[in-house]
Amino acid sequence: MITHSENALKILKLSDEKKVKEYEKLFQEELLNCESVTSEDIKLRKLFFRLKKLKQKEVWLICDRFSKADDNGEAFFSYMNTIGKAKNIKTYFMLEKDSKDYERLKKIGNVVPFDSKKQKLLYLLCDKVISAHTDAFATNYFKEKTFLYKDILNQRKFVYLKHGIIQNDRSQSLRRTSKNINMIVTATKKEQESFFHYAYYYNESQVRCTGFARHDFLFDNKNGHLITFMPTWRLYLTRDYDLTSYSRKLVQGFEKSTYCQMYQKVFGNQQLYEMAEKYHYTLALMMHPAMPRDCIKYFNCENRVKVLDINTRYNQIYADSKLVITDYSSAVFDFAYLRKPVIYFQHDAEEFFSGSHICEKGYFDYERDGFGEVEYTADDLVNRIIEYMENECRLKDLYRERIENTFLYHDKENCKRIYDEIIKL
């Protein structure tokens, strides 16, 4: 208990339960005098203390995006409700009730609707928040009302499963002084080491190399015939996060951007379609969830390219694809994990790494460390895709060797390693 009087702070350790209740009552009365505090806020606090006494098991609250599953959160949740089921731990998956993934997750285990009274209460009662994202819905759910529950929230641990391998410098948004993450999951040794090289300020006990949970659930469809484009998003080409579509809106003049024009040139190449037809491949496009779907109409590809629905499961895309083309996305690490070839298209590299996006160049050099060729013009990219078509999209020895040397683990034990590390917390 911290109080203040006569220009000093007094810190007391309270062991008398009667005294604790007395102070809690005074604190609640004090809070009610705050303009932004409602009686419902206080009721939630009272309910927490009542239920805390009845709590017999650890509670783990797991999530991916609040509107979508199908990431490391879902993979770990599946593990915890099957192979890794523990008698002393109760797991809940936090997801918006309108999500297309909601019913599927309910078949796996306990799902709590995002923003519901139960979810708010579980956020206070849980011992661990285990999330693929560090956005406010996972790390700072109560936002401007956090001060109401700060003493409670300080008791729980936050585990960052991540939604992709960090290959560039993300210290500006993830450093300990802003996020204070208790445990960060990494999938490669170089990724783990990058947390100590750049200004993240975490130590080895907080950054663990276990492998990604979702890698345990990857599979290959031998009959797949897709060649899939997976461009990542651009912060500087988007604005105003839209809660109805769970993405941002395009900036005015998007059609004149380098990003738009580089993909226009690729999808405007007639030879690409002719060769895909000749070798019996289907060209597909999967946009990043944060990139507005409106951009697709500017690419002029909808009639000739299979545009994948935003709810298409990524492990299904990786299973059905023979070749993936991206620009900078770390999602292709999953594809490479299956020993399949990648091509990088980086016509706008200078612009992308100028500081306008959310990351800066890091330890991963696409030319030196990548799992496929790096192409810088639309014509070179198309020629490279055709080369792969002609050779049945076989992975080249050079890139196979890089893949083998990149991933520390090649088993199906990632979830178990993550679980063991969380238990140590």
Side-chain angles (χ1 to χ4, degrees):
M1 168 62 67
I2 301 177
T3 59
H4 63 89
S5 63
E6 298 176 358
N7 214 24
L9 289 177
K10 293 182 180 179
I11 303 172
L12 308 169
K13 185 168 184 178
L14 299 179
S15 52
D16 183 352
E17 196 173 327
K18 189 178 178 183
K19 203 74 176 168
V20 172
K21 285 182 179 178
E22 185 183 315
Y23 274 120
E24 175 61 27
K25 187 180 178 184
L26 286 169
F27 183 52
Q28 289 176 13
E29 288 172 0
E30 186 182 309
L31 287 172
L32 275 172
N33 291 324
C34 299
E35 199 175 314
S36 61
V37 178
T38 66
S39 58
E40 287 301 312
D41 296 329
I42 302 300
K43 279 181 187 175
L44 188 63
R45 192 174 169 90
K46 287 179 177 177
L47 192 55
F48 162 78
F49 285 110
R50 203 176 304 147
L51 293 177
K52 186 186 175 185
K53 290 181 180 178
L54 303 174
K55 193 173 129 184
Q56 295 178 324
K57 296 180 179 181
E58 269 209 25
V59 174
W60 292 8
L61 188 60
I62 305 171
C63 59
D64 285 322
R65 297 177 189 275
F66 66 86
S67 57
K68 195 177 188 317
D70 192 34
D71 207 329
N72 283 313
E74 178 180 332
F76 188 67
F77 181 67
S78 298
Y79 170 81
M80 287 300 298
N81 282 276
T82 51
I83 304 164
K85 200 156 191 173
K87 290 180 181 178
N88 60 334
I89 300 167
K90 196 157 188 179
T91 58
Y92 293 87
F93 196 89
M94 181 172 73
L95 187 64
E96 199 161 64
K97 201 161 189 178
D98 292 338
S99 169
K100 291 187 178 179
D101 297 326
Y102 192 87
E103 291 303 318
R104 188 180 81 249
L105 268 291
K106 271 183 70 177
K107 293 173 185 174
I108 298 171
N110 300 310
V111 185
V112 57
F114 179 73
D115 248 357
S116 63
K117 187 176 180 181
K118 184 177 181 181
Q119 181 256 302
K120 292 174 185 176
L121 188 58
L122 280 171
Y123 194 83
L124 294 177
L125 281 168
C126 72
D127 300 274
K128 314 282 191 306
V129 173
I130 303 167
S131 173
H133 292 266
T134 59
D135 295 320
F137 72 86
T139 58
N140 187 30
Y141 172 76
F142 293 104
K143 296 179 183 175
E144 69 277 358
K145 290 192 175 182
T146 297
F147 73 94
L148 281 158
Y149 313 107
K150 195 74 174 176
D151 56 325
I152 298 168
L153 296 172
N154 280 341
Q155 305 302 314
R156 59 107 219 253
K157 307 288 185 186
F158 182 79
V159 176
Y160 184 26
L161 296 176
K162 302 217 313 300
H163 56 284
I165 287 173
I166 294 177
Q167 54 195 1
N168 298 306
D169 182 4
R170 290 278 310 281
S171 59
Q172 193 173 347
S173 58
L174 285 178
R175 65 183 47 160
R176 193 176 176 188
T177 47
S178 63
K179 295 295 182 184
N180 197 24
I181 301 166
N182 298 99
M183 176 180 150
I184 298 171
V185 169
T186 61
T188 76
K189 285 305 287 183
K190 281 189 177 180
E191 182 194 23
Q192 183 187 33
E193 288 162 7
S194 73
F195 275 91
F196 315 130
H197 179 75
Y198 300 105
Y200 290 98
Y201 307 117
Y202 293 100
N203 58 46
E204 287 189 23
S205 68
Q206 295 161 313
V207 184
R208 310 305 299 155
C209 188
T210 59
F212 277 174
R214 65 175 184 246
H215 288 175
D216 288 353
F217 297 87
L218 292 174
F219 65 99
D220 187 15
N221 175 11
K222 301 296 183 186
N223 298 317
H225 60 279
L226 295 183
I227 289 179
T228 307
F229 291 82
M230 295 181 67
T232 193
W233 70 297
R234 304 290 190 276
L235 177 65
Y236 51 88
L237 295 178
T238 62
R239 60 179 177 84
D240 305 335
Y241 193 80
D242 183 0
L243 284 173
T244 56
S245 62
Y246 309 117
S247 71
R248 293 158 176 81
K249 295 174 184 175
L250 291 175
V251 297
Q252 198 168 358
F254 168 80
E255 65 278 9
K256 296 176 184 175
S257 68
T258 308
Y259 177 83
C260 181
Q261 291 178 3
M262 63 194 257
Y263 284 105
Q264 274 183 349
K265 286 178 183 175
V266 173
F267 293 125
N269 191 305
Q270 186 57 34
Q271 190 185 13
L272 178 63
Y273 302 104
E274 291 172 359
M275 298 305 280
E277 187 176 353
K278 178 181 177 180
Y279 291 104
H280 311 294
Y281 288 105
T282 298
L283 300 176
L285 172 63
M286 181 63 176
M287 293 305 301
H288 190 282
M291 197 69 189
R293 305 285 287 180
D294 288 355
C295 68
I296 297 169
K297 68 184 179 187
Y298 294 106
F299 294 165
N300 302 322
C301 68
E302 286 174 294
N303 296 328
R304 299 179 289 181
V305 174
K306 182 179 182 180
V307 177
L308 301 177
D309 186 89
I310 194 169
N311 293 299
T312 307
R313 300 193 68 187
Y314 279 89
N315 62 356
Q316 192 64 56
I317 296 171
Y318 302 140
D320 293 340
S321 299
K322 294 297 183 189
L323 173 69
V324 161
I325 299 97
T326 189
D327 38 24
Y328 314 96
S329 176
S330 63
V332 297
F333 274 80
D334 291 32
F335 191 67
Y337 195 84
L338 290 169
R339 281 48 173 183
K340 293 184 176 185
V342 173
I343 304 174
Y344 301 93
F345 181 37
Q346 299 185 349
H347 181 67
D348 65 342
E350 191 174 335
E351 184 180 289
F352 184 82
F353 290 113
S354 67
S356 303
H357 194 50
I358 60 169
C359 62
E360 297 176 26
K361 272 193 176 181
Y363 68 92
F364 188 90
D365 184 285
Y366 294 89
E367 294 273 9
R368 184 193 65 216
D369 307 317
F371 309 122
E373 294 83 357
V374 182
E375 304 297 349
Y376 298 97
T377 70
D379 288 343
D380 287 345
L381 174 64
V382 170
N383 289 336
R384 186 68 69 187
I385 294 170
I386 292 170
E387 179 200 315
Y388 272 100
M389 288 179 185
E390 292 170 341
N391 291 282
E392 299 179 344
C393 291
R394 279 193 292 268
L395 179 65
K396 297 174 183 177
D397 290 343
L398 170 64
Y399 303 119
R400 184 180 296 277
E401 187 180 340
R402 286 185 187 177
I403 292 166
E404 298 296 337
N405 292 331
T406 296
F407 296 100
L408 188 61
Y409 303 106
H410 301 275
D411 54 20
K412 297 281 185 181
E413 300 286 324
N414 298 326
C415 286
K416 183 182 184 304
R417 279 186 288 272
I418 293 168
Y419 171 79
D420 289 343
E421 292 295 338
I422 294 174
I423 291 297
K424 289 177 188 176
L425 290 176

